[in-house]
Amino acid sequence: MLQMYQTEFSRRSWVEIDLNQIKTNLLAYREAIPEWTQIMAVVKADAYGHGDAEVSKFLNRCGIRLFAVSNINEAMTLRKSGVTGEILILGYTPPESADLLLKYDITQALISEEYADTMAKICPEIKCQFALDTGMNRIGMDADFSDRCVETIRAFQKRMNLNGLFTHLCVADSSAPENVAFTRGQIRKFEEIAKKVADLPFPYIHCLNSAGGLSYADSCEYHGIVRLGIILYGLKPDANFQMPAEIRPSLTWKSVVSLVKTVNPGEFVGYGRSFCAKRRRVVATIPTGYADGLSRRLSGSGFVTIQNVRAPIIGKICMDQMMVDATEIPGIAVGDEVEIIGKSYTADDMAEQLDTIGYEVVCGISKRVPRVYRE
Ligand SMILES: *Cc1c(COP(=O)(O)O)cnc(C)c1O
């Protein structure tokens, strides 16, 4: 039985998160990776738009005790909502916020030698993990200079509360031979350094993301932890990525019909008069627009689903509303539920239409769209 957590929210434009589906995804993912591999849930960017506090508290109840976020504010949000376990910040925290890391028991990524030195001077007690750059050129010490990395890791292990190492794979979602070779190279560089500091007591050594866990765990010695992001939410790391069967999106974006009218031939709909009715049309207005995170680029090409029928978006998507052609939907009425993203048209499908990735679609749903949870 599905149960709504929140009963009070405005039925204008809202997102429903099926927490049970997230649990199903977690279990299905676990089945597909080595038995002893732990999962670090990546809940950055408000859990990819799914709501970080609710999702993380739920994951705590599912037994997850490792979390990763992008910044100190996200980390504090989790702690303030009672999330327990380790929380790792994958990116930059301004040194002036170092005291918050300590106060909230947060682990900080050391993104360079210079950054590590700054943090060690300000606050050597903070928990930290060294980031290694094995080819992405985003953050981390350059793993091509492995001896230098080993030296630095050893030096900071003495100066700080250093408890691990990590790197990030940048094409683990691709099966193209040159990308597979590149990823294997990244893993080899990481392994080389990790082995040289194997005598240090590091409980957290990790390099696999969602795609990496499925495709490379067996060929990577350091698969004890997988940083699971996108697949936890049921979306694909890449449009061509083969997913375990039970993994499905957990997010549905809904709205309602606020007005129904007929438009006669020759009449226009919306800003710029971009749509002109050739025949008599039934037009439904829906109170969701680009300020809710619906890309305006779907004007004239996207659709919504009403009563399981697709209704094309006509005219330009407005800031807070849009109009759809509902001529083919019998008995359409004010108050009818509208599905913008759901089981039959997922965030991945919308991403394909927009020539982007599902990550961007779900992260782009605005904060003014309330999230409600079913379990
Ligand atoms: C975002 C991120 C992840 C998760 O990636 P997915 O593709 O969503 O699994 C893992 N590690 C780092 C460093 C990240 O930035």
Side-chain angles (χ1 to χ4, degrees), residues 253-324:
W253 186 2
K254 290 181 175 175
S255 191
V256 291
V257 172
S258 61
L259 187 143
V260 178
K261 61 160 69 188
T262 51
V263 169
N264 292 313
E267 283 192 67
F268 299 94
V269 173
Y271 285 122
R273 301 195 305 162
S274 64
F275 178 86
C276 180
K278 292 192 181 65
R279 288 166 287 150
R280 197 163 173 273
R281 302 276 89 185
V282 175
V283 173
T285 302
I286 295 162
T288 296
Y290 61 77
D292 298 293
L294 184 70
S295 175
R296 188 169 173 276
R297 286 186 290 132
L298 292 168
S299 299
S301 62
F303 59 84
V304 301
T305 306
I306 307 171
Q307 299 171 24
N308 293 315
V309 179
R310 291 183 169 188
I313 298 171
I314 55 174
K316 297 291 183 199
I317 292 171
C318 311
M319 188 182 286
D320 316 301
Q321 311 180 65
M322 67 178 141
M323 284 69 85
V324 302

Side-chain angles (χ1 to χ4, degrees), residues 42 44 48 90 138 166 168 209-210 227-230 359:
V42 181
K44 63 193 181 193
Y48 296 41
L90 297 166
R138 183 169 67 177
F166 72 96
H168 193 39
N209 53 13
S210 291
R227 300 189 303 268
L228 177 63
I230 198 73
Y359 299 73

Side-chain angles (χ1 to χ4, degrees), residues 197-215:
V197 295
D199 57 303
L200 299 179
F202 287 159
Y204 306 111
I205 301 185
H206 44 104
C207 60
L208 303 170
N209 53 13
S210 291
L214 293 182
S215 306

